[in-house]
Amino acid sequence: MGLGNIYRRRIRVFTLAVLIYLDYKATQQREKWISKNKQDALWKKAHERNAKRVLKAMVELEGLWVKLGQYLSTRADVLPQAYINLLRQLQDSLPPRPLQEVFWTVQKELGKSVDELFLKFDNTPLATASIAQVHRATLIDGKEVVVKVQHDGIKDIILEDLKNAKLIVDWIAWAEPQYNFNPMIDEWCKEAPKELDFNTEADNTRKVARNLGCDKTFNELKPLNTVDVLIPEVIQSTKKVLILEYMDGVRLNDLDALEGLGVDKQKIVEEITRAYAHQIYVDGFFNGDPHPGNFLVSKDPPHQPILLDFGLTKSLSSSMKNSIAKMFLASAEGDYVALLSSLAEMGLKLRLDMPEQAMEVTNVFFRSSTPANEASENMKILVEQRSKNMKKMQEKMKLGEKEVKRFNPVDAFPGDIVIFTRVINLLRGLSSTMNTRVVYIDVMRPFAESALQSNMIKDPTMSANWIHDSPILSDVEAKLRLLLLELANAGKILGIQVCAYKDGEVIIDTSAGNLGRYDPRPVQPDSLFPVFSATKGITAGLLHWLVDNGYVATNLDINSKQRSSFDIFWITVVDMLV
C-alpha cells in the first residue's frame, strides 16, 4: 500500500467513527424533546442511516472491516435489525476481484496455468469474502473441487486495518474507560494474520476433521461425543491458494432454500453448536469464525451441516481448556466457589469482590439463545439487569455517578478467552438469525463434563495419588484409608478430609479425592470446604448416638472407651459422606 492510500484509509475510518458517534449523541438529545410514541421511529431511522454508512464503508475498505461486518451481521440478539439486514450482505457477496488477478495468483502459487491444472474452471465465483474468493473447478482427474484464491495485496490491507482498529480502541478506552477493549484487539492482532497463510488453514482443516471424526482416512478414530457434521477434504495448498473437495450444499442463511429442502433448522443449529462444544471443551482446538457464510447444509438427506474456513483457529492449553469447562459447569450448577476458582485459573482478575455478580455475568454469557423477534425484549431485560448490577457495585465500592461510569471491573483479561468469547457470541447470533432457540447448558454440558472427567481418577485403588501422601499415624488410620478406598470405588466419596485427636495427640490426618465433581484438583490437608450445614450436623449427631449406643458398628475395631475420644472423627467423616 502506498503512503497516500494508508492515510486515505485511516481518515475514512476515523471520519466514519466520529460521524456515527455524533449522530447517535444528537439522536439522544432529540429523544428528550419528542413524545414517547415517536421515539421508536426516531431510533429506527438513526439505525438505518448509520447502517447504510457502515455497509458502504466496509464494502469500499474490504479487509478487516468486512470481517467485522460479518461478525456484526450475526448478532441479531443484540443489534438493531437495520444492521442485520444490511451487513449480512458481507457474508459471501462482496464484489469479486478480476479473473486476471485470480489466474495470475494461481499460476504463481502452483507453477502451472489454470488451463493446465483444471478441466473446467468457473469464472463466476461461488463466494467472495474479505480475504479470498472461491471458484468451483474440475481437476484433470475429474474430481470436483473448489479453489480458494487469496486477494492480491490483502496482507498489507489487513495489517493496516489492525493498526487503525487498535487506534480506535485506544481512543474509546480513553474516552470511556469502562469500555476498554484492548485485550480483545490485542488478541485479534495476534490471531488475524494467521488467516493469510492457506497452508496453516489446510493443516487446521485436517486437524479439526480428525478430531470430529470427519476425516475419511481416520474413520476408526471416532470422538466420544460424536457429532454429525461434514468437513471438505484438503486436496492441495500453498500460502495463497487452497484446493478443497467440492460439497454440494445450501448456504445456511438461505432460509427459503432450506425450507424448500425440508431442513430442520433447529437440528442443524444444535448440531453446529455441538460441533463447537467438542472443539472447545474436548479438543481445545476450535474455529474462531462461525458466521453463517462459513456453513453449508448438504442438499441430500440426511441434511448435515458442512463446516468451512478454518483460517482463524484457536488452540487452548490443557489447563485453559479445563478452566473454561469448569467455568461453564460452575455457571450451570450455581457453584460460586468453582466459578471463582475457574476465573482465577484462567487469569481473569476482577477489581471487586462480588461473587454473585460474577455468577450473574457468567449466566448471561451462557444464556440460551432467542429468536430474532424476541431479541429487542431480551436486550431490555439485560440492560435493566446491568443497571441493577452497576447500582450494587456503586454502593459496595462507594463510587460517585461519574466514577461508576468510568469504572472497569476487569483488572486482567486473558487473551486466550477472547476468541472463545467471540465464538460463543457468534453462535448465539447464528441461532437468532436462524430463528431458533438453543439451550447451551443442555447442548454443551456433556462435552464440558467429559473434558473434566477425563482428568479425574477413575479407579482410586489403582492410584497412589488418590490419598494424599502423608504418614499413617495409627492402625485406625490405616483401616480408615482402606474404608475410604472402598467407598470411593463405590462412588460414594468425591473428596474428604479426616482429622482426629486422642489424649491431645493426632492419630488420624487423612486427605483424599478431588475438590469437586468437575474439579480434578486433589484434596490436601489445607483445602477448604464449606462447614456450615445444619442438616449434616444433625445427621452426624444422630449417627454418633447410634454408634455410641451400640446400634451401629464402626468396623474399625474401636472399643467403647475409645468411642468417646472419636467424637470429632465421626462428625467430620459423616459430614463429608452425607
Side-chain angles (χ1 to χ4, degrees), residues 7-21 61 65 160 163-169 171:
Y7 283 108
R8 278 195 295 271
R9 194 175 185 84
R10 191 168 295 179
I11 291 170
R12 181 78 168 92
V13 170
F14 280 92
T15 301
L16 177 67
V18 172
L19 180 61
I20 291 175
Y21 176 78
L61 295 171
W65 302 109
E160 172 62 21
K163 291 178 185 177
N164 292 339
K166 175 66 174 171
L167 289 172
I168 291 175
V169 167
W171 172 63

Side-chain angles (χ1 to χ4, degrees), residues 526-546:
D526 58 353
S527 299
L528 298 178
F529 288 93
V531 295
F532 299 104
S533 176
T535 56
K536 290 180 181 179
I538 294 170
T539 307
L542 290 173
L543 183 55
H544 176 269
W545 181 85
L546 292 172

Side-chain angles (χ1 to χ4, degrees), residues 24-42:
Y24 277 122
K25 282 293 183 181
T27 303
Q28 284 180 337
Q29 295 302 315
R30 286 198 294 272
E31 182 185 35
K32 298 176 182 178
W33 301 98
I34 63 175
S35 59
K36 286 189 176 181
N37 61 340
K38 294 182 179 179
Q39 289 177 359
D40 286 344
L42 175 70

Side-chain angles (χ1 to χ4, degrees), residues 46-103:
H47 293 322
E48 290 175 348
R49 185 167 59 246
N50 287 306
K52 289 177 181 177
R53 289 170 175 162
V54 170
L55 176 62
K56 182 181 178 181
M58 287 178 171
V59 171
E60 290 175 3
L61 295 171
E62 296 184 337
L64 188 69
W65 302 109
V66 172
K67 302 290 290 184
L68 175 61
Q70 290 171 341
Y71 171 72
L72 295 176
S73 72
T74 68
R75 299 309 310 275
D77 55 327
V78 294
L79 277 181
Q81 194 60 39
Y83 284 90
I84 305 303
N85 292 340
L86 288 172
L87 295 183
R88 65 168 44 131
Q89 298 175 35
L90 299 173
Q91 289 172 6
D92 58 12
S93 59
L94 288 173
R97 292 293 182 96
L99 271 176
Q100 292 83 352
E101 177 186 312
V102 172
F103 292 164

